Amino acid sequence: MQNDTIKHTTCYECDANCAFTVTINPEGVATNVEGLPNCPRGQLQLERQYHPDRLLYPLKRVGPRGSGGFERISWDEALTTIAEKLEEGKQQHGAPAVGFFAGYTKEARPQLQRLAHAFGSPNYLTESGCCFSSTMVAEKLTFGYKVKTTSTVSSPKTRCVLVWSTNASGSIPPFENHHLNEKKRGRKMVVVDPRRTETAELADIHLQIRPGTDGALALGFHHLIFENGWQDQDFLDEWANGLEAFREYIKDFTPSRVAEICGIDEADLRAAVEMFATELPSQIAMSPTSTVQHSNGFQNHRAMILLSASLGMIDKEGGNRFFNDKVLPKPIEMFDVCLKELPPRIGDEVFPIWTKYWPAAQSMLMPDCILEGKPQKLRTLLAMGINTAMWANSKRMERALGELDFFAVSDFFHNPATLQADIVLPAATSLERSALIAYPGCAYQGEVKYRRQALPPRGEAKPDAQIFLELGVKMGMADQFWNGDLDASWAEMAEGLPDEVREEAYEKPEGVTVYSDVIDELVDAGYMDADRQWRLHGFKTVTGKIEFDSQELREQDYDGLPLYKEPVESPVSSPDVFADYPLVLTSGGRQKYFTHSQQHNIAKLLDFDPKPRIQIHPTDAAARGIKHDDKVEVSTRRGMVTFYADVTDVMKPGVVHCFHGWNEANVNDLTDDSCLDPISGFPAFKSLLCEVKVSDTTA
């Protein structure tokens, strides 16, 4: 009698790539996963693997776009049609009029980007047009290094942690067991968040700010730090560029003014700054997106991260450490071809700082490109894992997809985007595909893994990367696309790894730990403490110093200082709008049950949180006759969406929060796509104005 098989693999319900084992019965069906004890997404991934609605065969649209009318076709017909339509678009309108978009999953991005650039289009776009990249660009421009990536890593030396609008129990594995969700002896905690989250409950001081005022709060911190002489002046004298102008600017951000702007108590502000500035070393723990998804988010984030510089806590153990690249796979994306040989990317025209630092076009401009031809015309699109719910004013993006000359997409399930497609392709899950994974890790330490396929694909599903290789072959570029051999593409990427790392990564399911070379550089230079890399290389900015007043921004006609500006929609900046929409709307608080719009069709996960909710303070609810669990209509100038009221005092009065990712109740149908951040192009998902009322229809 045959026995069950145990296979080691890695999860991809988020991009943390946690290792686990899967049990497979003699019939080849996965029956159990083990090794993901505190992650419901990972534990229940087999529910998605065998979901009855999963896409298993290539489909061709047979009805009007959006109607859901599709018929099954062969892979050969699907790939031939896509190849012909891409080539047709190129011949009629030029290769840049053909876009290539990557949402989830991220593993096939190298192959898709290679396809875009080999085809001749610079317009490879990703979900990073509204996620993570803005924080990274702000940090690289200000310090020459990334710091967010390491900001939530625990250090035993940290005596005060300033948690700025992130909530580990919903967003950072292992969630409730993350160090930010623990009271630690000898470590103070200040939390900045419009909601009283699980993390905020643990705080010594909770600054419950009005959404979008992060920049004012950060500048208020700086004001008090310099007023009280808490700054590290010796460090700043050597390493700060533009400090004098910055100090002059922050004089206006007095505690009373900042408290009024942010809607917090002045005494709490003063106490929080003193705690952060005197209980050293102190660290800022931050989110990839919460500070930058505002109309002035890029500069707000710069003001915040400069706090570490003012206190001399930058790349210091216990403070905010630099993130260093470790061993990296060989690039196969052909981005060098894009830079040297292809026309400008979408966004080069209006967001030159962002596109300088980020190797993609700015996807938030796609609706403008399709509907208005600005800044470039897009007519054809090949995408994987795209959902219109990712875009502000989502219905406009849905309309844009419907007006494309041709649109093809791969995914696990239908969603509002796939319903607009001409061809829909079934994607293989992470259990059904191989991948080379270089996980970034922390300041000096990372991981390299090679995930082998654990299960055969269901139906006729294929790995996204395999699809893109086969399209390259179809379009006459077999030599550039490994003749369609996916494992060969990973093998070429692996050529960039040292031999011993590559061999160990392929042999060990758990992968291999890798380290940055800078450790040896510091030791060779006589520094036995593995921090403060600026002693070796300075700061990798245009001035070699920390950019309090950014020369690079000024050269592109932006403000060099991290100036504070009110959100475009706010009680202060738009009182006429506020008269009709008197509540501040924020959105996107993370939950460990869902990855954005994913997993919302998994019944056992919906048991944890079954309805699209809006969190509203009891005072605001009572004024509107709203009771807990009422069906309510949330309205902005963009439209109306129905949610269910979660009446709770975790919210700041005057502020409401909608959870995101629900296709049937998409908060981004309400958000604004007309006032993107002028430097990054990010939308203001998290600081707008709305009204809430009891729905006229029954639940």
Side-chain angles (χ1 to χ4, degrees), residues 92-119:
Q92 292 183 357
H93 307 290
V98 180
F100 297 76
F101 177 84
Y104 259 61
T105 62
K106 299 180 181 181
E107 290 179 352
R109 292 185 178 192
Q111 291 85 353
L112 179 60
Q113 188 167 10
R114 184 181 184 90
L115 181 63
H117 300 330
F119 176 82

Side-chain angles (χ1 to χ4, degrees), residues 159-274:
R159 292 188 59 197
C160 179
V161 60
L162 172 58
V163 184
W164 205 297
S165 207
T166 192
N167 182 36
S169 71
S171 61
I172 312 175
F175 304 111
E176 289 90 347
N177 296 329
H178 191 273
H179 78 94
L180 292 177
N181 280 320
E182 301 174 9
K183 275 278 193 182
K184 286 196 170 185
R185 183 178 301 172
R187 186 186 73 179
K188 302 290 187 182
M189 180 183 285
V190 177
V191 170
V192 177
D193 203 301
R195 300 187 298 151
R196 195 179 70 249
T197 62
E198 294 90 340
T199 307
E201 292 276 10
L202 301 172
D204 297 281
I205 302 171
H206 175 203
L207 299 177
Q208 198 168 17
I209 65 170
R210 172 166 60 91
T213 62
D214 309 79
L217 181 62
L219 295 167
F221 267 62
H222 284 288
H223 177 102
L224 284 168
I225 286 169
F226 283 97
E227 182 180 79
N228 287 283
W230 290 327
Q231 76 275 17
D232 187 337
Q233 195 61 49
D234 289 342
F235 172 75
L236 295 172
D237 287 343
E238 185 173 2
W239 294 111
N241 176 62
L243 185 63
E244 185 176 343
F246 179 78
R247 291 192 65 168
E248 184 64 30
Y249 178 62
I250 63 175
K251 286 180 181 178
D252 290 339
F253 288 85
T254 61
S256 59
R257 181 187 175 211
V258 169
E260 182 179 2
I261 291 172
C262 298
I264 57 176
D265 185 81
E266 182 180 338
D268 288 343
L269 170 62
R270 288 181 177 275
V273 178
E274 182 171 2

Side-chain angles (χ1 to χ4, degrees), residues 48-66:
R48 181 172 69 178
Q49 177 71 22
Y50 298 110
H51 197 287
D53 295 335
R54 190 177 154 197
L55 297 170
L56 298 177
Y57 304 97
L59 302 173
K60 178 175 71 175
R61 178 173 59 84
V62 293
R65 282 183 168 166

Side-chain angles (χ1 to χ4, degrees), residues 217 335 539 694:
L217 181 62
F335 186 57
F539 292 84
V694 176

Side-chain angles (χ1 to χ4, degrees), residues 444 515-528 530 536:
Y444 296 122
Y515 299 92
S516 170
D517 291 339
V518 76
I519 298 176
D520 292 333
E521 291 182 58
L522 284 162
V523 172
D524 290 345
Y527 299 119
M528 301 309 293
L536 290 177

